[in-house]
Amino acid sequence: MKGIILAGGSGSRLSPSTDSINKHLLAVYDKPMIYYPLSVLMLGGIKEIMIISTPEDKSRFEGLLGDGSSLGISLIYKEQSDPNGIPEALTLSEYFIGKDDVTLILGDNIFYGQGFTTLLRKAIKDHEHATVFGYRVKDASRFGVVEFDDNQKVISLEEKPAEPKSDFAVTGLYIYDHHAVQKAKNLPFSDRGELEITDLNQAYLDKGQLDVQLLGRGFAWMDAGTHESLFDAAEFVKITQQRQGFKLACLEEISYYLGYISREALYEKGKSMEKNDYGRYLLEIADRKHTKQYWDPAVNQNPMLGMIENE
């Protein structure tokens, strides 16, 4: 399984904050926005990941994350010259994907919930063709909407319908087989002048190959792509971390508990940032001499690591 993070676009909804910087590099409370989708792919067990961004910002992501070796993963980067829609991420990644399946996540999406890691890993393991994640929202007309029967079988998809057929939005997290690349190539441009992800999902649905995984009441899904939603996401992260004492989307912590990096590497990273709270948190994790043995990432059971359990 390969992973893709789409972190391009113009960021116009967050202007003027994004006039000189990619929105996915903006802070969501105490860490860059890109950390959150990257943590999702890592928690899903995906180690080969491509980050797609603009030509102007590619070097900035490389400067932030490097080749991924410090996290025990592989990161490569691809330029998207023009924001032509989400499915273009698949065509740009054709040679990276090859014959593998792929999990695509939008760079401004944040997921949180008890047992999310287990749910995601199961979805990745069990999927056959295409899987989308549905989340109940108050105003479904603002999103792509999925309608399904009592057996959670998808029966229709609509993009921002005036009268939604359900309350479930399609989130920015998608699992596809390698045929998604060719399907994306065959998509027509919409009236908006973009390739639409709903059209790609519809292509799978037309062949009875689209599954939906519902995220229930215990989950939070946020799209941090507007000023208001960015503020809400930062407040959510702040409150959760302060009340529960662990950090969301702490990449080094995830790498350590997955066995990708050593305690020494975790400690050295913490020492390099010991003057701030993030660095001191890493040092605290490195000093927990008996914590790691309690966590089996396959079953996601670690009573001492709430962050992994919840994300």
Side-chain angles (χ1 to χ4, degrees):
M1 176 69 72
K2 302 287 181 65
I4 298 173
I5 302 175
L6 183 54
S10 62
S12 58
R13 293 186 299 167
L14 282 167
S15 182
S17 299
T18 52
D19 288 353
S20 62
I21 189 172
N22 186 291
K23 73 174 180 179
H24 306 94
L25 294 170
L26 295 176
V28 179
Y29 185 53
D30 61 348
K31 61 190 73 69
M33 187 186 296
I34 191 72
Y35 274 40
Y36 296 88
L38 180 53
S39 73
V40 169
L41 296 183
M42 291 173 64
L43 288 167
I46 300 171
K47 299 184 69 174
E48 295 181 75
I49 298 168
M50 174 180 281
I51 296 176
I52 298 176
S53 187
T54 64
E56 298 79 15
D57 295 307
K58 177 173 172 284
S59 62
R60 293 171 178 162
F61 285 102
E62 290 174 324
L64 175 67
L65 298 167
D67 63 2
S69 58
S70 64
L71 297 170
I73 61 176
S74 172
L75 294 176
I76 62 173
Y77 302 85
K78 185 77 174 182
E79 295 179 1
Q80 182 187 38
S81 299
D82 298 301
N84 290 320
I86 298 171
E88 188 179 46
L90 297 165
T91 61
L92 290 172
S93 310
E94 179 176 7
Y95 295 105
F96 170 68
I97 295 171
K99 295 296 183 180
D100 291 320
D101 294 345
V102 61
T103 298
L104 168 64
I105 186 170
L106 304 188
D108 59 3
N109 273 222
I110 298 171
F111 293 85
Y112 177 91
Q114 180 68 36
F116 179 69
T117 302
T118 301
L119 181 148
L120 176 61
R121 287 185 175 232
K122 187 176 187 303
I124 289 173
K125 178 178 179 293
D126 293 346
H127 102 100
E128 295 184 18
H129 302 286
T131 299
V132 300
F133 292 79
Y135 185 81
R136 187 182 295 276
V137 294
K138 186 176 181 180
D139 183 8
S141 64
R142 296 172 47 228
F143 304 93
V145 175
V146 57
E147 180 189 14
F148 48 90
D149 61 21
D150 293 339
N151 296 318
Q152 294 187 21
K153 181 180 179 180
V154 186
I155 55 178
S156 77
L157 294 167
E158 294 181 286
E159 181 64 26
K160 298 180 180 178
E163 297 183 3
K165 295 179 180 178
S166 84
D167 296 327
F168 281 90
V170 178
T171 73
L173 178 62
Y174 318 89
I175 307 173
Y176 296 116
D177 59 26
H178 71 274
H179 297 294
V181 174
Q182 188 59 48
K183 291 180 185 296
K185 286 182 176 182
N186 294 333
L187 292 177
F189 281 84
S190 69
D191 293 339
R192 298 194 305 164
E194 294 185 5
L195 302 174
E196 303 289 352
I197 195 67
T198 297
D199 290 342
L200 176 61
N201 292 332
Q202 184 68 50
Y204 278 98
L205 178 59
D206 289 344
K207 291 191 174 183
Q209 296 177 342
L210 183 68
D211 295 320
V212 60
Q213 174 66 62
L214 298 183
L215 302 177
R217 288 190 176 189
F219 294 95
W221 167 59
M222 290 163 278
D223 170 355
T226 67
H227 291 103
E228 183 177 17
S229 61
L230 178 61
F231 177 85
D232 290 343
E235 189 71 9
F236 178 86
V237 172
K238 175 186 176 182
I239 291 173
T240 301
Q241 291 185 168
Q242 289 181 344
R243 291 185 178 180
Q244 299 192 6
F246 57 80
K247 289 191 177 296
L248 279 67
C250 180
L251 303 182
E252 295 82 4
E253 182 183 14
I254 294 171
S255 292
Y256 173 60
Y257 282 103
L258 287 171
Y260 296 167
I261 63 173
S262 66
R263 184 188 304 277
E264 291 72 24
L266 181 69
Y267 180 82
E268 289 301 318
K269 184 66 174 180
K271 284 292 289 183
S272 71
M273 297 186 290
E274 63 180 339
K275 292 185 178 180
N276 64 49
D277 181 65
Y278 193 95
R280 290 190 293 271
Y281 180 76
L282 297 183
L283 291 174
E284 177 187 342
I285 299 299
D287 286 338
R288 295 177 186 170
K289 297 182 179 180
H290 302 293
T291 304
K292 187 176 179 180
Q293 64 181 316
Y294 291 107
W295 186 54
D296 177 356
V299 297
N300 191 34
Q301 292 179 346
N302 178 5
M304 302 179 70
L305 190 61
M307 187 277 297
I308 297 287
E309 286 187 348
N310 284 286
E311 288 190 86

